[in-house]
Amino acid sequence: MVAIADSVPKPVSRFRFILDRRDVLGALFVAPAILYVLLLVGVPFLMAVYYSLSAYTIYDPSWSFVGLSNFADILEDPTFQRTLWNTFIFTFGSQLLGLVLGKFGALLLLRPFPGRKLVRAVIILPWAVPVALATVAWQWMFDSLYSVINWTMIALGLIDRANAPNWLGNPDLAMLSIIVVNGWRFFPFAIVIFLAGITAVPQDVIDAATVDGAGFWRRNYQIILPMILPIMTIGLVFGIVFTFTDLSIVFLMTNGGPVGATSVLGFAGFQTGIVSGDVSHGAAISLFMLPVLLVIVVVMLRFIRRREI
Amino acid sequence: MARMTAKTVAQETSFYAAVVFFFVLAAFPFYWMLITSFKTNGDLYNVTHIPFWFNDPPTLEHFQYLFEKTLFTTWLLNSLIIGVVVTIITLLTALPAAYSLARMTGRNGEALGIGIFLTYLVPPTLLFLPLSRVIAMLGLQNSMWSLVLVYPTFTIPFCTWLLMGFFKSMPREIEEAAIVDGCSLFGAFIKMAIPLSVPGILTVVIFTFTLTLQEFVYALTFVSASAQKPITLGVATDLIRGDVFYWGEIMAGALIASIPVAIAYNLFLDRFISGITGGAVK
Amino acid sequence: MAAVVTRDIVKKFGEVPAVNGISMTVPDGEFMVLLGPSGCGKTTYLRIICGLEQQTSGDLLIGGNVVNELPPRARGVAMMFQSYGLYPHYSVRNNIAFPLKTQRVPREEIAKKVEWASQLLGIKRLLERKPRELSGGERQRVALARALVREPTALLLDEPLSNLDAKLRASARLEIKAFQQRVGLTTIYVTHDQVEAMGMGDRIAVIDGGRVRQVGTPTEIYDDPADRFVATFVGTPPMNILDQNGGAIGFRPENFLPKDMMDDQNFAEFSFRVDRSEYLGSERIVYGVVEGFDQKQIVTAKLPPAHVDEASIRPGEWHPFAVRNAAMRYFDKDGNRTSRH
């Protein structure tokens, strides 16, 4: 065995090889994105927390620390309590509506039929089109004088003009209206999520179940549903997060009215913090969304982890 | 040919009835938008007229009014500028970030990627308060450039996530072969990863554009000057004089603004789904 | 001067050593095969030589130079990947030209070299095509041309045949070996397939658990295995190993024959009960147990059917079988080879 003498390693220019250094390059590549997010999400987030703990308004931008008194204030305010309650109802109602419609819609779209592509393209529209524009269309559909819904019901003889429902002017109907609009917005997303999940279930499993004697309902609820639970949960997380924090629909359709009947957290935060300029209370209201969101997200992510197939 | 039993007929009918139901449910508001845009005001604001079809002949007056007497074209231009600039910013930031997270880091990369994505879920209705102060401090209040600054806060996390999934499914061999053949890591990124990820880049461009077009909360908060409004905000809030809604114009504007987004979504739906559900749907 | 020398290369991922101290010398022009089961560390080791991974400790010399700190492009190696790693968006010509372009070789020179390499591999007519338009065999040749064009000190191959179907594998094997001999390029070839290893290698390094078990020519590996692992890893069916007196004895199935086939007295005799027999055309594989040893250990015999017809070896019966003394191997309690005790 011949012993090979060590040669002197070639002198290496440090700069020349910096573009090869995995660690340096890796950090450099992520830096802009992380910086952007830190500066424009992280810092404002901390600022929001700070505002909620101070007595800051745009008329008196003092940074004095007031502890949790802002939170105490809003918690005692019956309008806020109503808002909180509304937000839950709004979220729960529209998600439920969306899910139910979504599940059935997905089942329908599973089966090939003539014109399926067109139907699919149209069914996506409520979710694809910008919120504000679709909401405005519904606003017009619910108009107190010219509502097409009322016109139809009158024409069908179900009601008469004097008793025509004032969709956006009656507190309960207003809540119903915004739930319907949000559910309508959400159901195509639910359909897409369900479709993706169902088509990901291997055909072998479904066939095995059929051979084992499972009928339509059993197949659906005992075999398929558990297998699509993870993806359904992700869809639900998205839906809940975006609904719970939404302000567009309420702002455009009812402006929180009548008399706060449809005020939700996002909207109230806007009203108080931006329109009225009471930044500290506005921040407190907005921050209220967080604990609920965190709990939901964590619970659901953990749920998925455990059920990972 | 299968025999048509009464049961099958009933099943088929209810199936198609259900399909029609969903179709109408999804489409009606848009039909409503469409037809309102073309109806004369006299036709619209008359409760004795049948709303579902034209009683008076269709008209282009709303579209005319929209383009000639309102700031509609300005809004379109604003949205275009915002869209383009935000897309460029997003690509420049998210492409390298996604590549780095997908290739160059191990477990930490996974966690960091998820962390970045989670910022997408931080609600605008929480951040708008402090951001409005920041915008004021920067002197950008009431300008559409405030939106150009703020929009990447959600387009970057989302697109990084999309691109991460994309890069992960690209085989490493090609970049490694390039490295062995003489590229630096950076060279392999530019010469191999980027050209081969053009479909992903295309998806990012489309989605960034649609995300910026859709956005309402930040636009509402930061911009009140009519001439600075992007299209969605403009149509939804600016076509009102006093207490009177110009429904014909609003619907016409909404129609025009909705069409590109609807088309884009339909073309890129599948990619979008695999992007969001990247991990869950195996 | 040796083309590739490694000294005590160790690679740890966290606490786990994937490569646990490998030292090796590959002389110029040799076809060295790294053989081992999945996860034994052979691919990691190859990637360390290439420069795609960095060793935790140990030295690596290529062409006489210490290359520990150098990136792949400065080491003078070329690598062929499992799926060939051809650039899908470049034509065949640009694929082959790429390594030269990155070295800033002047254009006329590049054209000449691409001519030469594609001529050598018989792919001149494919130069304007894209990789997706080529067959598997053609792609392999393009990958080889691309590897060749830089005139590297060593060519590294990472299981290039594992994605091919069986039929293609045999011809691809011949082609790679013929190519290597024609060009005289030092080659390090990683595989888990012992047939490939035995057929192609000038020398084979059998690797398991991140360590080299034995390095030798195919004959040495087969006839003189250094331990039980090497003995059972190479050869189909694997060598029979029977525990005895704290150690073990071993004999290959083709050396385990009916006693009446022995032509002299230098053999060891066994009583063999046949349980199962498989007729494979060119040979017959017989499974059973040997008297006096653990009855759970299945022993195989590989019989040429020309010499033994079905009638004489019946399942359920005890037959006298024998192993020539020269073919008997002995192992100690640690599994290493010893001479007869």
Side-chain angles (χ1 to χ4, degrees):
Chain A
M1 188 100 310
V2 179
I4 312 287
D6 278 359
S7 340
V8 178
K10 294 202 207 37
V12 156
S13 149
R14 293 201 76 191
F15 183 72
R16 185 167 152 229
F17 290 134
I18 218 173
L19 293 176
D20 284 303
R21 300 264 320 269
R22 198 158 275 254
D23 38 359
V24 171
L25 214 59
L28 265 174
F29 272 14
V30 229
I34 297 214
L35 220 69
Y36 215 104
V37 166
L38 273 180
L39 285 179
L40 287 175
V41 177
V43 167
F45 179 76
L46 292 174
M47 282 169 73
V49 172
Y50 192 86
Y51 286 146
S52 66
L53 300 174
S54 75
Y56 191 104
T57 70
I58 57 174
Y59 308 109
D60 174 26
S62 67
W63 292 77
S64 53
F65 186 73
V66 297
L68 295 174
S69 66
N70 290 326
F71 289 98
D73 290 340
I74 59 177
L75 274 173
E76 283 166 0
D77 182 0
T79 331
F80 177 77
Q81 293 164 1
R82 183 72 200 268
T83 302
L84 198 56
W85 177 243
N86 287 343
T87 317
F88 277 102
I89 304 249
F90 176 55
T91 308
F92 182 73
S94 52
Q95 293 307 294
L96 189 62
L97 181 62
L99 270 183
V100 168
L101 285 175
K103 182 77 201 295
F104 278 105
L107 286 180
L108 285 178
L109 284 182
L110 267 180
R111 174 187 134 174
F113 58 84
R116 180 167 78 147
K117 275 223 156 145
L118 176 66
V119 173
R120 207 179 85 125
V122 168
I123 285 195
I124 296 296
L125 284 179
W127 176 51
V129 165
V131 195
L133 301 179
T135 307
V136 159
W138 276 96
Q139 214 183 339
W140 174 223
M141 277 168 64
F142 280 138
D143 185 83
S144 47
L145 283 176
Y146 301 108
S147 163
V148 59
I149 302 177
N150 288 352
W151 190 96
T152 317
M153 291 203 290
I154 293 175
L156 288 176
L158 293 173
I159 49 171
D160 58 52
R161 183 142 289 279
N163 292 327
N166 186 354
W167 296 103
L168 303 180
N170 174 306
D172 299 316
L173 287 180
M175 176 56 79
L176 183 65
S177 307
I178 59 172
I179 289 182
V180 163
V181 174
N182 204 44
W184 175 85
R185 276 217 75 233
F186 180 61
F187 95 87
F189 179 66
I191 288 188
V192 162
I193 295 280
F194 273 116
L195 273 181
I198 295 180
T199 50
V201 174
Q203 187 61 30
D204 318 355
V205 174
I206 302 182
D207 290 341
T210 315
V211 168
D212 281 348
F216 178 79
W217 292 105
R218 192 184 286 268
R219 271 209 305 277
N220 256 294
Y221 285 98
Q222 288 190 356
I223 306 289
I224 297 187
L225 195 62
M227 284 185 83
I228 62 175
L229 229 37
I231 192 174
M232 212 174 92
T233 315
I234 289 195
L236 209 60
V237 167
F238 268 82
I240 292 184
V241 168
F242 288 122
T243 306
F244 201 76
T245 62
D246 185 48
L247 90 81
S248 331
I249 295 186
V250 169
F251 177 82
L252 287 171
M253 295 235 305
T254 61
N255 208 35
V259 202
T262 56
S263 167
V264 293
L265 280 178
F267 178 78
F270 177 75
Q271 271 299 108
T272 318
I274 307 274
V275 176
S276 312
D278 183 356
V279 176
S280 51
H281 286 101
I285 295 178
S286 297
L287 276 175
F288 237 87
M289 298 189 272
L290 271 198
V292 182
L293 282 185
L294 268 172
V295 167
I296 295 178
V297 170
V298 164
V299 163
M300 293 186 134
L301 286 185
R302 201 164 283 173
F303 180 66
I304 297 183
R305 272 284 150 79
R306 243 186 283 138
R307 290 183 128 269
E308 202 89 82
I309 299 177
Chain B
M1 177 72 171
R3 256 186 318 182
M4 297 290 275
T5 61
K7 180 165 166 237
T8 337
V9 169
Q11 271 181 343
E12 291 295 289
T13 329
S14 41
F15 175 81
Y16 283 106
V19 170
V20 167
F21 168 72
F22 275 93
F23 188 88
V24 168
L25 178 68
F28 187 74
F30 300 107
Y31 173 74
W32 196 236
M33 224 193 253
L34 180 71
I35 203 169
T36 305
S37 332
F38 289 102
K39 275 189 174 181
T40 62
N41 280 335
D43 192 357
L44 277 178
Y45 298 111
N46 188 328
V47 285
T48 60
H49 282 198
I50 298 176
F52 296 105
W53 194 246
F54 299 101
N55 298 286
D56 300 334
T59 169
L60 284 177
E61 66 188 32
H62 300 303
F63 290 94
Q64 253 180 310
Y65 190 88
L66 201 61
F67 280 102
E68 290 168 17
K69 302 262 184 45
T70 68
L71 290 165
F72 191 67
T73 35
T74 314
W75 298 334
L76 277 177
L77 198 62
N78 291 345
S79 283
L80 191 65
I81 297 179
I82 296 177
V84 167
V85 180
V86 170
T87 303
I88 294 178
I89 295 180
T90 307
L91 273 180
L92 285 178
T93 346
L95 255 182
Y99 184 72
S100 171
L101 290 171
R103 288 274 190 260
M104 294 195 231
T105 48
R107 283 289 149 77
N108 294 327
E110 194 76 48
L112 203 52
I114 296 186
I116 289 193
F117 182 67
L118 283 181
T119 58
Y120 181 66
L121 294 175
V122 178
T125 45
L126 172 63
L127 294 176
F128 63 179
L129 224 32
L131 278 176
S132 65
R133 303 281 97 225
V134 171
I135 299 288
M137 281 195 283
L138 290 173
L140 285 176
Q141 67 272 45
N142 236 343
S143 156
M144 69 179 195
W145 294 102
S146 62
L147 300 180
V148 170
L149 180 68
V150 171
Y151 281 175
T153 56
F154 56 85
T155 59
I156 291 180
F158 186 77
C159 293
T160 305
W161 181 252
L162 257 185
L163 287 172
M164 248 177 91
F166 197 83
F167 281 128
K168 281 218 179 121
S169 66
M170 240 171 65
R172 279 177 196 248
E173 279 190 3
I174 297 174
E175 291 140 62
E176 288 183 342
I179 291 179
V180 175
D181 278 346
C183 278
S184 59
L185 261 182
F186 184 71
F189 172 62
I190 300 285
K191 291 199 189 143
M192 296 294 149
I194 292 194
L196 292 175
S197 62
V198 165
I201 294 181
L202 224 60
T203 312
V204 162
V205 168
I206 299 290
F207 275 106
T208 307
F209 238 100
T210 55
L211 281 176
T212 55
L213 278 179
Q214 289 219 346
E215 209 284 326
F216 185 72
V217 176
Y218 287 138
L220 177 69
T221 313
F222 302 146
V223 179
S224 29
S226 296
Q228 291 286 311
K229 290 189 180 182
I231 187 81
T232 303
L233 182 68
V235 168
T237 61
D238 218 66
L239 293 171
I240 308 169
R241 299 283 173 271
D243 228 353
V244 179
F245 287 74
Y246 281 46
W247 287 114
E249 282 69 27
I250 297 180
M251 290 298 116
L255 195 67
I256 298 180
S258 306
I259 290 182
V261 180
I263 296 181
Y265 259 81
N266 261 298
L267 291 178
F268 286 81
L269 194 58
D270 297 310
R271 259 194 241 291
F272 178 69
I273 296 310
S274 51
I276 282 197
T277 65
V281 180
K282 298 212 192 325
Chain C
M1 180 185 67
V4 178
V5 176
T6 63
R7 296 203 199 112
D8 210 20
I9 297 278
V10 172
K11 173 68 179 178
K12 290 200 186 149
F13 291 107
E15 284 310 305
V16 181
V19 177
N20 209 355
I22 296 188
S23 305
M24 183 186 288
T25 304
V26 183
D28 227 5
E30 176 172 89
F31 195 117
M32 161 72 85
V33 176
L34 305 179
L35 173 68
S38 303
C40 68
K42 58 193 190 299
T43 299
T44 310
Y45 178 63
L46 190 78
R47 289 167 64 90
I48 290 176
I49 297 178
C50 180
L52 290 171
E53 302 272 2
Q54 183 71 14
Q55 68 268 35
T56 313
S57 67
D59 289 322
L60 173 63
L61 289 92
I62 297 183
N65 301 317
V66 174
V67 300
N68 295 339
E69 303 290 313
L70 299 181
R73 65 176 187 270
R75 295 189 182 198
V77 292
M79 180 138 162
M80 191 162 126
F81 296 82
Q82 227 170 355
S83 309
Y84 308 135
L86 297 181
Y87 310 126
H89 52 310
Y90 289 168
S91 65
V92 168
R93 179 189 295 278
N94 286 331
N95 260 276
I96 301 178
F98 188 77
L100 300 173
K101 288 205 189 142
T102 59
Q103 316 282 41
R104 315 287 170 93
V105 172
R107 249 194 301 155
E108 315 80 51
E109 176 102 23
I110 294 186
K112 264 197 282 170
K113 288 226 158 109
V114 172
E115 273 295 303
W116 164 69
S118 52
Q119 173 85 318
L120 200 61
L121 281 142
I123 48 172
K124 270 179 81 164
R125 61 189 170 82
L126 301 175
L127 282 175
E128 304 312 319
R129 305 241 196 114
K130 286 263 171 67
R132 62 172 172 271
E133 301 164 24
L134 303 177
S135 71
E138 288 165 343
R139 285 188 212 176
Q140 179 177 287
R141 272 181 257 150
V142 174
L144 286 174
R146 188 176 71 184
L148 182 62
V149 87
R150 295 195 315 157
E151 298 176 89
T153 313
L155 172 64
L156 311 173
L157 298 108
D158 186 5
E159 308 208 46
L161 304 185
S162 45
N163 284 348
L164 302 179
D165 59 53
K167 228 188 224 177
L168 209 51
R169 229 178 271 187
S171 60
R173 206 167 80 212
L174 286 172
E175 219 181 283
I176 293 184
K177 181 70 180 181
F179 166 77
Q180 191 266 346
Q181 281 178 324
R182 200 164 57 226
V183 174
L185 196 50
T186 311
T187 304
I188 303 183
Y189 183 102
V190 162
T191 182
H192 61 271
D193 184 331
Q194 38 127 4
V195 171
E196 267 171 42
M198 297 285 281
M200 299 173 86
D202 292 336
R203 282 195 307 156
I204 303 175
V206 180
I207 299 182
D208 185 43
R211 285 176 23 249
V212 174
R213 301 298 207 136
Q214 182 175 5
V215 180
T217 63
T219 318
E220 287 163 7
I221 300 282
Y222 194 76
D223 288 337
D224 267 315
D227 60 18
R228 285 172 76 147
F229 177 80
V230 179
T232 51
F233 193 75
V234 181
T236 316
M239 182 187 277
N240 294 302
I241 303 210
L242 299 171
D243 295 309
Q244 181 190 58
N245 300 336
I249 57 171
F251 45 90
R252 294 215 178 262
E254 63 268 22
N255 294 324
F256 188 50
L257 300 166
K259 179 172 160 195
D260 49 30
M261 281 177 69
M262 297 287 124
D263 42 359
D264 60 28
Q265 289 303 309
N266 296 329
F267 59 81
E269 184 174 336
F270 298 94
S271 196
F272 183 47
R273 186 195 77 212
V274 173
D275 292 328
R276 213 166 32 99
S277 143
E278 285 173 352
Y279 173 64
L280 299 181
S282 57
E283 59 214 8
R284 181 184 293 279
I285 313 275
V286 176
Y287 302 86
V289 293
V290 170
E291 188 182 34
F293 291 92
D294 184 358
Q295 296 295 288
K296 286 197 298 271
Q297 282 190 279
I298 309 244
V299 174
T300 48
K302 192 193 268 194
L303 310 173
H307 286 114
V308 182
D309 64 53
E310 173 142 33
S312 61
I313 307 291
R314 277 199 291 274
E317 294 182 355
W318 291 91
H319 301 279
F321 266 60
V323 176
R324 258 186 284 271
N325 288 336
M328 188 74 88
R329 301 282 172 265
Y330 300 91
F331 300 92
D332 63 21
K333 61 175 166 48
D334 297 317
N336 298 315
R337 272 281 299 288
T338 61
S339 47
R340 180 184 188 139
H341 40 262

